[in-house]
Coordinates of all heavy atoms in Angstrom, one line a residue:
D230 N 0.1 17.5 -4.5 CA -1.3 17.6 -4.1 C -1.5 16.6 -2.8 O -0.8 15.8 -2.5 CB -2.2 17.2 -5.2 CG -3.5 18.0 -5.2 OD1 -3.8 18.6 -4.1 OD2 -4.2 17.8 -6.1
I234 N -8.2 8.9 -2.0 CA -8.3 7.5 -1.7 C -7.4 6.6 -2.6 O -7.2 5.6 -2.1 CB -9.8 7.1 -1.7 CG1 -10.5 7.5 -3.1 CG2 -10.7 7.7 -0.7 CD1 -11.6 6.6 -3.5
G254 N 4.3 -13.4 13.9 CA 5.6 -13.3 14.6 C 6.8 -13.1 13.9 O 7.9 -13.1 14.3
D311 N 14.7 14.3 3.2 CA 15.5 14.0 4.5 C 17.0 14.0 4.1 O 17.3 13.3 3.1 CB 15.1 12.6 5.0 CG 13.8 12.5 5.5 OD1 13.2 13.6 5.9 OD2 13.2 11.3 5.6
E337 N 16.8 14.0 -27.1 CA 15.9 14.9 -27.7 C 14.6 14.2 -27.7 O 14.6 13.0 -28.3 CB 16.3 15.3 -29.2 CG 15.4 16.2 -29.8 CD 15.7 17.0 -31.0 OE1 16.7 16.5 -31.6 OE2 15.0 17.8 -31.5
E345 N 6.4 13.0 -14.8 CA 8.0 13.0 -14.7 C 8.6 11.8 -15.4 O 9.3 11.1 -14.9 CB 8.2 12.8 -13.1 CG 7.9 13.9 -12.3 CD 8.8 15.2 -12.5 OE1 9.6 15.2 -13.5 OE2 8.9 16.1 -11.5
K362 N -3.6 15.8 -19.6 CA -4.3 16.8 -20.5 C -3.3 18.0 -20.8 O -3.8 19.2 -20.9 CB -5.6 17.2 -20.1 CG -6.5 16.1 -19.5 CD -7.2 15.5 -20.9 CE -8.3 14.4 -20.5 NZ -7.7 13.1 -20.6
E386 N 15.0 -13.1 -17.9 CA 15.2 -14.4 -17.3 C 14.6 -14.5 -15.8 O 13.9 -15.3 -15.6 CB 16.6 -14.7 -17.3 CG 17.0 -16.3 -17.3 CD 18.5 -16.4 -17.3 OE1 19.0 -16.2 -18.4 OE2 19.0 -16.8 -16.2
N389 N 10.9 -14.2 -15.8 CA 10.2 -15.3 -16.3 C 10.2 -16.4 -15.5 O 9.2 -17.3 -15.2 CB 10.9 -15.7 -17.8 CG 10.1 -16.6 -18.6 OD1 8.9 -16.5 -18.5 ND2 10.7 -17.3 -19.4
S406 N 6.5 -8.6 -22.0 CA 6.4 -8.2 -23.5 C 7.1 -6.9 -23.7 O 7.6 -6.6 -24.7 CB 5.0 -8.4 -24.0 OG 4.2 -7.6 -23.2
I408 N 9.7 -5.9 -22.1 CA 11.2 -6.2 -22.1 C 11.5 -6.6 -23.5 O 12.5 -6.3 -24.1 CB 11.7 -7.0 -21.0 CG1 11.4 -6.2 -19.6 CG2 13.0 -7.5 -21.2 CD1 11.6 -7.1 -18.4
K433 N 26.2 20.4 -12.1 CA 25.2 21.3 -12.9 C 23.9 20.4 -13.2 O 22.9 21.0 -13.7 CB 25.7 21.7 -14.3 CG 26.9 22.8 -14.0 CD 27.3 23.5 -15.3 CE 27.9 22.5 -16.3 NZ 29.2 21.7 -15.8
S448 N 17.5 3.7 1.1 CA 17.9 4.7 2.0 C 17.1 4.6 3.3 O 17.7 4.9 4.3 CB 17.8 6.0 1.4 OG 16.6 6.5 1.0
F477 N 8.8 1.2 -13.9 CA 9.8 1.7 -13.0 C 10.3 0.7 -12.0 O 11.5 0.4 -11.7 CB 9.3 2.9 -12.2 CG 9.0 4.2 -13.2 CD1 7.6 4.4 -13.6 CD2 10.1 5.0 -13.7 CE1 7.4 5.5 -14.5 CE2 9.8 6.0 -14.6 CZ 8.5 6.2 -14.9
S513 N -9.3 17.7 -12.3 CA -10.0 18.4 -13.2 C -11.4 18.0 -13.3 O -12.4 18.8 -13.7 CB -9.4 18.4 -14.5 OG -9.1 17.0 -15.0
Y527 N -17.4 7.8 8.9 CA -17.6 6.3 8.9 C -16.6 5.7 9.9 O -16.7 4.5 10.2 CB -17.5 5.6 7.6 CG -18.7 6.2 6.7 CD1 -18.4 7.3 5.9 CD2 -19.9 5.6 6.7 CE1 -19.4 7.7 5.0 CE2 -20.9 6.1 5.8 CZ -20.7 7.1 5.0 OH -21.6 7.6 4.1
A529 N -12.2 5.0 10.6 CA -11.0 4.5 9.9 C -11.3 2.9 9.5 O -11.1 2.5 8.3 CB -9.7 4.6 10.8
L580 N -26.3 -15.3 31.2 CA -25.2 -15.9 31.9 C -24.6 -15.0 32.9 O -23.6 -15.1 33.4 CB -24.0 -16.3 31.0 CG -24.3 -17.1 29.7 CD1 -23.1 -17.5 28.9 CD2 -25.0 -18.5 30.1
I584 N -18.4 -15.5 31.2 CA -18.1 -16.4 30.4 C -16.8 -17.0 30.9 O -16.0 -17.8 30.2 CB -17.9 -15.9 28.9 CG1 -17.0 -14.7 28.7 CG2 -19.2 -15.8 28.3 CD1 -16.6 -14.4 27.4
L604 N -2.8 -11.7 -0.4 CA -3.3 -10.3 -1.0 C -4.6 -10.4 -1.6 O -5.0 -9.5 -2.4 CB -2.3 -9.6 -1.9 CG -1.0 -9.1 -1.3 CD1 -0.1 -10.2 -0.9 CD2 -0.3 -8.1 -2.2
K626 N -32.3 -19.3 14.4 CA -32.9 -20.6 14.4 C -33.1 -21.2 15.8 O -34.1 -21.7 16.0 CB -32.1 -21.6 13.5 CG -32.5 -21.6 12.0 CD -32.0 -22.8 11.3 CE -30.4 -22.9 11.2 NZ -29.7 -23.4 10.3
P637 N -31.5 -24.1 29.9 CA -30.4 -23.0 30.1 C -29.1 -23.5 29.8 O -28.3 -22.8 29.3 CB -30.7 -22.6 31.6 CG -31.4 -23.7 32.2 CD -32.3 -24.3 31.0
L650 N -16.3 -18.0 18.7 CA -16.3 -17.8 17.3 C -16.0 -16.3 17.0 O -15.2 -15.9 16.2 CB -17.6 -18.1 16.6 CG -17.6 -17.9 15.1 CD1 -17.0 -18.7 14.3 CD2 -19.1 -17.8 14.7
K656 N -9.9 -11.9 15.7 CA -8.4 -12.2 15.5 C -8.0 -12.1 14.0 O -7.0 -11.5 13.6 CB -8.0 -13.5 16.1 CG -6.7 -13.5 16.9 CD -6.4 -14.7 17.6 CE -6.4 -16.0 16.8 NZ -6.2 -17.3 17.5
V672 N -13.6 -6.8 25.3 CA -14.9 -7.2 26.0 C -14.9 -8.6 26.3 O -15.1 -9.0 27.4 CB -16.1 -6.8 25.1 CG1 -17.4 -7.5 25.7 CG2 -16.2 -5.4 24.9

Side-chain angles (χ1 to χ4, degrees):
D230 211 345
I234 52 157
D311 290 339
E337 183 167 7
E345 284 287 18
K362 312 275 183 263
E386 202 179 292
N389 199 29
S406 52
I408 294 175
K433 290 191 298 299
S448 66
F477 294 101
S513 52
Y527 300 90
L580 309 182
I584 52 170
L604 286 78
K626 268 198 290 197
L650 178 74
K656 225 172 54 184
V672 168

